[in-house]
Amino acid sequence: MTEPQASTPRRPSAEKAVIVLAGATGDLGLRIARHLAQRGATVRALVRPGNASPAVAALRELGATIIDADFNSVTALTKACAGADCVVSALSGLREVIVETQKRLLDAAVAAQVPRFIPSDYCIDYTKLPAGSNRNLDLRREFNQRLDQAPIAATSVLNGMFTDLLTGQAPVVLFGLKRVVYWGDADQPLDFTTIENTAEFTAAAALDPGTPRYLRVAGEVASIRDVQRAASAASGQPFGLLWAGSVGVLGALSKLTKALMPESDDVFPPWQGMQYLHNMFTGLPKLAPLDNARYPEIRWTSVQDVLATRPLGE
């Protein structure tokens, strides 16, 4: 296991800070809202009109101000952003959302003279990847090119893969077979951060006026061998390794899967996950240096702790 590197700690100033949060009803967004509220911030949650989901009720319980936002109107968004200290996006989607909706939100933040903007990145370091290697990350790259041209301070939070995905959604830890599958090198360092840690760090960054353009964090930097040991320790049963081929094989498989699947508006089709794993196993988007120590009050959750949450027998 590789220990996360440290950067100079900075403590956020939350007194009376007003944070506008888009995507607040999603899993990550709701967690960001909770951590902002815990830090004393005033949260304005932008919610699409008519949204009556349990997440809206949860936001109200946190003390957030619910704003029925017309995401197609820069004028309406500008009014919602007035007087805010930072706009945080946790929106999820494809081009219509990541590029177009975020662009209108950015234009509104600039028009309202909001000093800072945090886009919906929360991923591996796409700045180190070639264009065309990952559809979803290409959209983030495209939006951030627009963001860098805007007269506003921006900070992207990069956190690697959500560790939570290892409990089932990411086809890496095969619990039934007691194997950890991988492509390429089993010793390649990989970045993992839980959704909860990502939310907590993002909330701290939103309240920190001195953040740089990029903040990189990893709850744990672990190789596949480390994940194998974590799975064995978490389950109390020995896990083995399963080599599925070279990194090139995974890249070719992702392209073939994409070509064979019908077109859809699914944000995370199977081939998208394969692209993400391919990116990680190449080592290109490895996060460095890490900013884990910037907010020393955050306690990082390990891969083993996450795997231990999966009930035995599943």
Side-chain angles (χ1 to χ4, degrees):
M1 183 188 306
T2 305
E3 291 296 327
Q5 303 169 35
S7 66
T8 303
R10 297 278 187 91
R11 285 195 173 274
S13 175
E15 297 235 356
K16 305 299 183 182
V18 176
I19 309 299
V20 171
L21 179 59
T25 58
D27 186 13
L28 176 63
L30 185 56
R31 295 174 193 242
I32 293 173
R34 186 177 70 251
H35 283 290
L36 285 169
Q38 289 173 351
R39 290 173 179 269
T42 296
V43 180
R44 293 182 194 162
L46 304 186
V47 175
R48 296 187 186 279
N51 188 329
S53 69
V56 175
L59 287 165
R60 286 198 175 96
E61 289 180 6
L62 291 173
T65 299
I66 306 300
I67 297 178
D68 289 336
D70 181 358
F71 283 94
N72 293 315
S73 170
V74 174
T75 300
L77 292 172
T78 300
K79 182 178 179 181
C81 291
D85 296 282
C86 182
V87 170
V88 177
S89 174
L91 294 168
S92 177
L94 298 179
R95 170 172 296 279
E96 180 181 349
V97 175
I98 297 301
V99 178
E100 301 305 331
T101 299
Q102 282 202 123
K103 176 62 165 56
R104 290 188 289 272
L105 185 63
L106 171 61
D107 290 344
V110 171
Q113 299 183 345
V114 178
R116 302 173 58 243
F117 191 101
I118 296 179
S120 185
D121 284 349
Y122 318 114
C123 56
I124 52 181
D125 194 344
Y126 59 84
T127 67
K128 300 177 180 178
L129 293 172
S133 67
N134 188 303
R135 178 199 63 182
N136 289 9
L137 300 188
D138 282 345
L139 295 175
R140 282 158 172 77
R141 187 201 322 272
E142 181 179 342
F143 172 72
N144 276 279
Q145 288 172 346
R146 299 189 184 188
L147 179 57
D148 286 336
Q149 297 171 358
I152 192 170
T155 296
S156 290
V157 175
L158 304 178
N159 56 269
M161 174 187 280
F162 287 134
T163 321
D164 315 66
L165 299 179
L166 292 176
T167 60
Q169 288 178 265
V172 175
V173 183
L174 308 180
F175 292 90
L177 297 177
K178 302 295 186 291
R179 293 290 185 273
V180 177
V181 67
Y182 71 100
W183 292 262
D185 185 0
D187 295 310
Q188 169 63 49
L190 308 170
D191 299 308
F192 299 97
T193 311
T194 63
I195 300 172
E196 185 69 15
N197 278 160
T198 301
E200 185 177 6
F201 188 89
T202 301
L207 299 171
D208 179 356
T211 53
R213 179 63 183 86
Y214 292 96
L215 286 170
R216 299 172 173 88
V217 294
E220 183 174 350
V221 180
S223 69
I224 284 296
R225 294 191 198 279
D226 294 324
V227 175
Q228 175 199 10
R229 286 188 282 268
S232 299
S235 66
Q237 301 173 3
F239 273 66
L241 294 178
L242 178 60
W243 186 69
S246 67
V247 174
V249 166
L250 178 57
L253 186 58
S254 69
K255 292 178 182 178
L256 177 61
T257 304
K258 181 180 180 181
L260 293 177
M261 289 191 68
E263 292 287 334
S264 76
D265 294 329
D266 189 357
V267 179
F268 298 108
W271 55 263
Q272 172 62 44
M274 296 165 71
Q275 284 185 342
Y276 206 92
L277 286 174
H278 174 259
N279 294 151
M280 292 183 68
F281 281 116
T282 66
L284 291 176
K286 179 72 189 68
L287 300 173
L290 294 179
D291 299 293
N292 285 44
R294 189 177 182 93
Y295 311 116
E297 68 274 15
I298 295 177
R299 296 294 174 259
W300 302 95
T301 303
S302 69
V303 169
Q304 181 176 328
D305 288 341
V306 170
L307 295 180
T309 64
R310 183 185 174 93
L312 294 177
E314 286 193 8

